[in-house]
Amino acid sequence: MKTLLALIVAAFVAAPAFADPANANCPTSGKPVDKTVTSTYSKKISFCCDKCKTKFDADPAKMAKEVAAYKADSGKCLVSGKAIDATKTSEFKKEVGFCCAKCKAGFDKDPDAGIVKVK
């Protein structure tokens, strides 16, 4: 029993800290973020080829608007619009900070609309 408890405590202590939010100001209010009030925006993106995947992976933040509008079930590559190859995927992931829980709740209702406001 002590060993199990020690393993659980060790895993908790060794767990990585959350990354700082990608933004300094709240996308809703424009106020400085409270680093303890965050949401993780995540979306799986599919591509037609390695060239498109590499282009996206080089600077995913540059395509935030396209990511927000991307529909995974469209069957089309985010970059070229061609048919996707299901083995060519990336994940767009961003930790977003907010000034308060109210702003976070608004973002969480429609993260695709909110992510385009993150700077």
Side-chain angles (χ1 to χ4, degrees):
M1 184 67 168
K2 284 185 182 182
T3 305
L4 179 59
L5 182 59
L7 287 172
I8 292 170
V9 170
F12 180 73
V13 171
F18 290 106
D20 282 342
N23 53 314
N25 294 320
C26 177
T28 304
S29 71
K31 296 177 183 177
V33 301
D34 174 346
K35 291 182 181 183
T36 65
V37 184
T38 64
S39 276
T40 301
Y41 179 89
S42 179
K43 198 172 213 182
K44 184 178 176 182
I45 308 295
S46 297
F47 304 93
C48 63
C49 63
D50 286 326
K51 183 178 176 182
C52 287
K53 183 180 178 319
T54 300
K55 183 177 180 178
F56 175 81
D57 288 342
D59 191 4
K62 184 178 177 181
M63 300 188 74
K65 287 184 182 181
E66 290 85 355
V67 168
Y70 180 76
K71 304 288 184 216
D73 60 357
S74 72
K76 295 186 178 183
C77 174
L78 176 75
V79 177
S80 72
K82 295 179 182 175
I84 63 166
D85 174 345
T87 66
K88 313 289 187 220
T89 63
S90 281
E91 184 178 18
F92 182 89
K93 195 169 193 176
K94 195 176 252 194
E95 192 71 19
V96 181
F98 303 92
C99 65
C100 64
K102 183 177 178 183
C103 288
K104 177 188 180 309
F107 178 90
D108 289 343
K109 284 182 184 176
D110 189 2
D112 285 332
I115 197 66
V116 298
K117 299 175 186 174
V118 176
K119 295 183 178 41

